[in-house]
């Protein structure tokens, strides 16, 4: 693999991680809208409009090209997306209690650890192998990162809060926010494993039926996002109706908020598209080894960069910042461990479609 290919892949992974880690930042600039306004608008843009429009631009016949895929592969993706969508509701609710940085660390830790452990149950020869022990090491590092992150949040609340009553409320909100972030992580586990199960056959079928590389490797994500749209739309629409806040969408001086919603959706969905491109550039078995760890690492670093830049840790104290910094280092280390260990994974016996390199792919439609 040439240096230019590696450099391009690294740049794409950095861009993808930056987009994903930044997606929630515009919520801090939309003070005239209520929380349920922001997340309802985001739901429509992110989980429905952008995936459909981008796939139509890539290849308008992509859905007909996967019509021969056995229905259970499609349903696994949609149901995995449904579970992920429920988790994303909790992810959104956690923001007001624990902020960007802590929320991302806990969610990614849970999702990645679960995604590392569960496949070993159905991968022949995995349990008891060197691969399984290294995976467990990565999970232990993730658990340590979550513990330190929670401790950092507690130290921040202790320093930032005033009287004992305020500190008590802050502790309750911290526990609630951590619980929500953990539940979001459970949803991410379901999403990750459903994608790992269904994507190989879906992308293979799309390529065999004439799809180009990018839509073939992206359409499964679109189905996951569609599944996530359902619970998010229902929850936040009901919340808007109950709070009678739909009128806020037409509030004065909020025209730019629609652009912020687009940026949020672009951060989430756009990061997936760029990440798929990075995988295509690398190709083969090196894709999960190089692209995925870089993607996760830059999500973590970007989210915490915005967390500090937007004042979430202002006045938190040296202890809280030190604990959070160590947890970020641990989390990135665990991601690297999982990425490197992917080369040791035993064969599943299932036919898996390797991501093609760009030079082997068909011309884009």
């Amino acid at each position: 693999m040439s240096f230019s290919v590696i450099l391009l892949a690294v740049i794409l992974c950095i861009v993808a991680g930056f987009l994903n880690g930044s997606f929630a930042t515009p919520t801090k600039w939309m003070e005239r809208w209520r929380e349920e306004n922001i997340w309802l608008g985001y739901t429509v843009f992110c989980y429905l409009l952008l995936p459909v429009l981008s796939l139509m631009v890539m290849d308008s016949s992509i859905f007909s090209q996967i019509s021969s895929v056995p229905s259970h592969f499609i349903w696994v993706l949609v149901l995995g997306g449904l579970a992920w969508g429920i988790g994303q509701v909790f992810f959104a609710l956690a923001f007001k209690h624990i902020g960007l940085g802590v929320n991302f660390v806990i969610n990614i830790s849970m999702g990645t650890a679960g995604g590392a452990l569960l496949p070993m149950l159905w991968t022949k020869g995995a349990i008891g192998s060197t691969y399984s022990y290294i995976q467990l090491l990565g999970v232990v590092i993730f658990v340590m990162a979550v513990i330190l992150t929670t401790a950092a949040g507690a130290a921040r609340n202790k320093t930032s809060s005033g009287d004992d009553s305020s500190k008590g409320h802050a502790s309750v909100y911290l526990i609630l926010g951590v619980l929500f972030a953990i539940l979001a992580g459970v949803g991410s586990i379901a999403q990750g494993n459903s994608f790992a199960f269904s994507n190989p056959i879906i992308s293979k079928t799309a390529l065999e039926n004439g799809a180009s590389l990018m839509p073939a490797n992206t359409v499964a994500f679109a189905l996951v996002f569609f599944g996530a749209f359902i619970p998010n739309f229902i929850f936040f629409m009901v919340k808007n109706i109950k709070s009678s806040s739909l009128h806020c969408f037409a509030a004065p001086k909020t025209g730019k908020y629609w652009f912020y919603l687009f940026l949020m959706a672009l951060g989430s969905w756009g990061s997936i598209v760029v990440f798929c491109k990075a995988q295509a550039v690398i190709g083969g078995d090196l894709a999960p080894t190089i692209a995925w760890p870089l993607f996760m690492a830059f999500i973590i670093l970007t989210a915490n960069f915005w967390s500090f830049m937007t004042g979430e840790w202002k006045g938190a104290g040296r202890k809280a910042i030190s604990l959070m910094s160590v947890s970020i280092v641990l989390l990135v280390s665990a991601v690297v461990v999982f990425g490197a260990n992917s080369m040791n994974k035993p064969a599943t016996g299932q036919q898996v479609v390797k991501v093609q390199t760009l030079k082997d792919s068909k011309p884009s439609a």
Side-chain angles (χ1 to χ4, degrees):
M1 186 182 300
S2 68
F3 174 77
S4 60
V5 170
I6 294 176
L7 180 61
L8 176 58
V10 169
I11 292 173
L12 289 171
C13 289
I14 292 173
V15 171
F18 177 81
L19 287 171
N20 196 291
S22 302
F23 93 89
T25 305
T27 62
K28 296 179 178 292
W29 310 327
M30 304 162 75
E31 63 280 351
R32 290 177 179 266
W33 279 1
R34 298 183 61 163
E35 176 187 83
E36 56 265 31
N37 299 132
I38 296 172
W39 293 110
L40 178 61
Y42 166 78
T43 293
V44 174
F45 273 77
C46 178
Y47 299 129
L48 190 62
L49 293 182
L50 278 190
V52 172
L53 290 175
S54 59
L55 280 175
M56 291 301 98
V57 170
M58 292 181 196
D59 190 340
S60 60
S61 59
I62 184 63
F63 290 109
S64 65
Q65 289 163 343
I66 63 169
S67 60
S68 61
V69 172
S71 60
H72 67 276
F73 285 101
I74 303 295
W75 280 110
V76 165
L77 275 178
V78 174
L79 292 174
L82 188 72
W84 178 57
I86 295 172
Q88 288 302 102
V89 170
F90 287 110
F91 189 65
L93 295 177
F95 274 114
K96 68 178 182 181
H97 298 311
I98 56 177
L100 283 169
V102 176
N103 198 7
F104 266 95
V105 168
I106 295 175
N107 184 23
I108 289 178
S109 296
M110 285 290 301
T112 310
L117 285 178
L118 290 183
M120 288 196 295
L121 299 178
W122 56 76
T123 301
K124 185 177 180 180
I127 297 178
S129 64
T130 301
Y131 169 79
S132 68
Y133 294 132
I134 297 177
Q135 291 294 88
L136 287 172
L137 172 63
V139 170
V140 170
I141 298 174
F142 269 126
V143 171
M144 292 172 59
V146 170
I147 293 173
L148 286 179
T149 299
T150 305
R156 176 182 64 182
N157 290 346
K158 184 177 180 180
T159 304
S160 303
S161 302
D163 54 31
D164 292 338
S165 176
S166 298
K167 291 178 181 178
H169 287 131
S171 297
V172 172
Y173 291 143
L174 173 67
I175 294 171
L176 193 61
V178 169
L179 175 62
F180 286 163
I182 289 173
L183 291 173
V186 173
S188 296
I189 294 171
Q191 180 263 351
N193 283 285
S194 68
F195 182 83
F197 175 81
S198 295
N199 183 58
I201 187 66
I202 289 176
S203 59
K204 176 177 182 291
T205 302
L207 289 169
E208 289 177 345
N209 288 327
S212 54
L213 183 61
M214 279 301 295
N217 287 329
T218 308
V219 65
F221 278 115
L223 293 170
V224 168
F225 272 57
F226 173 74
F229 170 79
I230 298 170
N232 278 270
F233 183 81
I234 292 173
F235 179 85
F236 289 113
M237 177 58 80
V238 169
K239 195 170 182 182
N240 270 275
I241 293 172
K242 288 182 68 174
S243 63
S244 301
S245 57
L246 285 171
H247 70 278
C248 294
F249 283 115
K253 300 181 180 180
T254 60
K256 61 185 177 182
Y257 290 6
W258 296 97
F259 177 66
Y260 293 158
L261 288 180
F262 172 76
L263 289 180
M264 291 175 65
L266 184 65
S268 290
W269 175 252
S271 69
I272 298 297
V273 175
V274 176
F275 175 66
C276 287
K277 189 72 171 180
Q279 285 187 308
V281 169
I282 297 172
D285 292 330
L286 287 178
T289 307
I290 298 175
W292 180 81
L294 282 173
F295 182 41
M296 290 293 106
F298 279 98
I299 290 175
I300 298 161
L301 294 174
T302 301
N304 281 277
F305 167 78
W306 287 118
S307 176
F308 280 94
M309 290 298 294
T310 55
E312 288 182 2
W313 296 88
K314 185 177 181 180
R318 181 177 297 178
K319 179 181 178 181
I321 293 175
S322 297
L323 286 170
M324 191 63 186
S325 300
V326 173
S327 73
I328 293 170
V329 172
L330 287 174
L331 186 53
V332 172
S333 300
V335 167
V336 172
V337 167
F338 283 145
N341 196 37
S342 65
M343 295 294 290
N344 301 320
K345 185 175 182 180
T348 62
Q350 179 186 9
Q351 186 179 8
V352 176
V353 180
K354 294 182 180 180
V355 179
Q356 303 173 14
T357 60
L358 288 181
K359 64 181 181 181
D360 298 327
S361 64
K362 299 176 183 179
S364 298

